[in-house]
Amino acid sequence: MYTCKTLIATVGDHVSQEKRLSICLEANGFSFSETTPSGELLTFGVAEGTHATSITDATREIKAFFSDAGVRALGYKTLELIVVSDASTWVPDELYTMSSNRQYLKLVGCNAATVMTCHSSALGSTAVFSGNEQLAMAFKVALPGLTVINQHAKMVRVKDWSKTHPVLFAHWRKGFIDIAACKDGRYIFGNSISYEDREEAMFRLVEVVKAYALDDGTTELMLCGDVDRDMYAMLRPYFPKTTLYGGEVTRCANDEFKRLRTYKHALILM
């Protein structure tokens, strides 16, 4: 059962067909946001709780939470569920076959019990990734029209930020950094890199920059997720520019949003 840890909502009438609902699945709940096509943030929330083990129970609890939060389940222009996966790989369209999904993950050292996929038209590739397929299905039943993706499919849009200088986008979470490396408006590399300590994390990021020829003197390291002040200070000397992700939200009708640490929730706000 889910309880509401945080809920910031904007009072007013907004046509639901014009809105986007973005949900990020987490180990002990999920976070979500509602935004308009113009980038106005309408709702932000965090649900905490243990995920149900059956599709029926999970669907009921998801519906109940969103109903209590005043979020309508129908009529959105875009609905997405982001499954944050530890193991994933991109397969080009010309090489992809559904029957080989498990084999694709085995090639990157993953023997997951369940395999999920999502397609990126921007890359002409399919992301194959591990995840809780049963829980994802419960969200799809509770929210008709919802599309399931992983964090790397969402982070593809970082490529548009790299038209003027290389960008290394790093989403931090416990034991992993989700990376999107982009240059000249192109997505060059994306994966989840594990690390044991801060020093190893720093080394791995610098290694990616050098391996993919991003170090032209203008590279921007953009940090988000569970990054803290000490990690920021450690990384800053190694990159020409180090920033915290500020989000793509253009307007906030509710003053409470101004205190929201956007970089912590980048996946549902980008």
Side-chain angles (χ1 to χ4, degrees):
M1 188 171 183
Y2 302 111
T3 59
C4 186
K5 179 182 177 182
T6 304
L7 181 62
I8 307 173
T10 302
V11 178
D13 294 327
H14 300 273
V15 179
S16 60
Q17 285 85 348
E18 297 179 353
K19 294 190 296 185
R20 180 184 76 182
L21 177 62
S22 185
I23 306 166
C24 185
L25 189 59
E26 298 168 7
N28 297 305
F30 56 89
S31 57
F32 67 96
S33 69
E34 284 184 305
T35 55
T36 69
S38 63
E40 181 179 3
L41 180 60
L42 300 176
T43 308
F44 171 84
V46 177
E48 286 190 339
T50 302
H51 299 300
T53 56
S54 74
I55 292 179
T56 301
D57 290 342
T59 300
R60 183 182 66 252
E61 292 174 6
I62 293 164
K63 286 182 176 180
F65 176 86
F66 281 113
S67 176
D68 292 343
V71 176
R72 297 179 60 187
L74 299 173
Y76 287 91
K77 183 176 182 180
T78 304
L79 299 94
E80 62 183 12
L81 174 69
I82 304 160
V83 175
V84 180
S85 175
D86 294 344
S88 68
T89 187
W90 286 107
V91 183
D93 286 348
E94 57 268 26
L95 300 177
Y96 176 76
T97 57
M98 185 181 300
S99 60
S100 299
N101 282 340
R102 293 186 183 280
Q103 184 62 30
Y104 296 138
L105 280 188
K106 284 184 179 180
L107 292 173
V108 294
C110 176
N111 291 295
T114 58
V115 179
M116 305 172 71
T117 65
C118 63
H119 184 260
S120 171
S121 57
L123 298 184
S125 299
T126 293
V128 182
F129 56 97
S130 61
N132 188 332
E133 188 176 23
Q134 183 169 276
L135 184 57
M137 180 60 68
F139 271 91
K140 292 183 72 172
V141 173
L143 302 167
L146 179 141
T147 299
V148 179
I149 63 175
N150 73 343
Q151 71 272 34
H152 295 291
K154 187 65 180 286
M155 290 162 59
V156 165
R157 66 177 58 191
V158 175
K159 70 184 182 64
D160 295 330
W161 308 343
S162 69
K163 294 179 180 178
T164 58
H165 61 277
V167 174
L168 180 61
F169 188 83
H171 173 253
W172 294 74
R173 51 195 176 90
K174 186 177 181 180
F176 288 91
I177 315 170
D178 304 312
I179 290 175
C182 303
K183 184 178 182 181
D184 299 325
R186 296 180 296 113
Y187 181 94
I188 297 174
F189 170 78
N191 211 328
S192 297
I193 298 177
S194 63
Y195 67 93
E196 294 293 334
D197 52 37
R198 294 175 183 271
E199 288 71 23
E200 183 182 4
M202 179 181 66
F203 173 79
R204 300 298 296 274
L205 289 176
V206 173
E207 189 177 45
V208 169
V209 169
K210 293 186 177 299
Y212 291 92
L214 300 178
D215 50 344
D216 67 351
T218 65
T219 305
E220 178 180 4
L221 173 64
M222 189 176 295
L223 305 170
C224 67
D226 294 329
V227 62
D228 57 31
R229 184 176 298 179
D230 291 340
M231 180 56 75
Y232 180 89
M234 178 182 288
L235 291 167
R236 190 172 183 179
Y238 292 90
F239 296 87
K241 184 178 181 181
T242 303
T243 59
L244 291 174
Y245 174 74
E248 295 183 16
V249 174
T250 58
R251 292 179 295 139
C252 297
N254 191 324
D255 287 341
E256 288 187 65
F257 288 127
K258 296 177 182 178
R259 295 189 290 272
L260 185 64
R261 291 184 290 180
T262 303
Y263 70 93
K264 290 283 188 182
H265 307 282
L267 294 181
I268 59 170
L269 295 175
M270 66 186 297

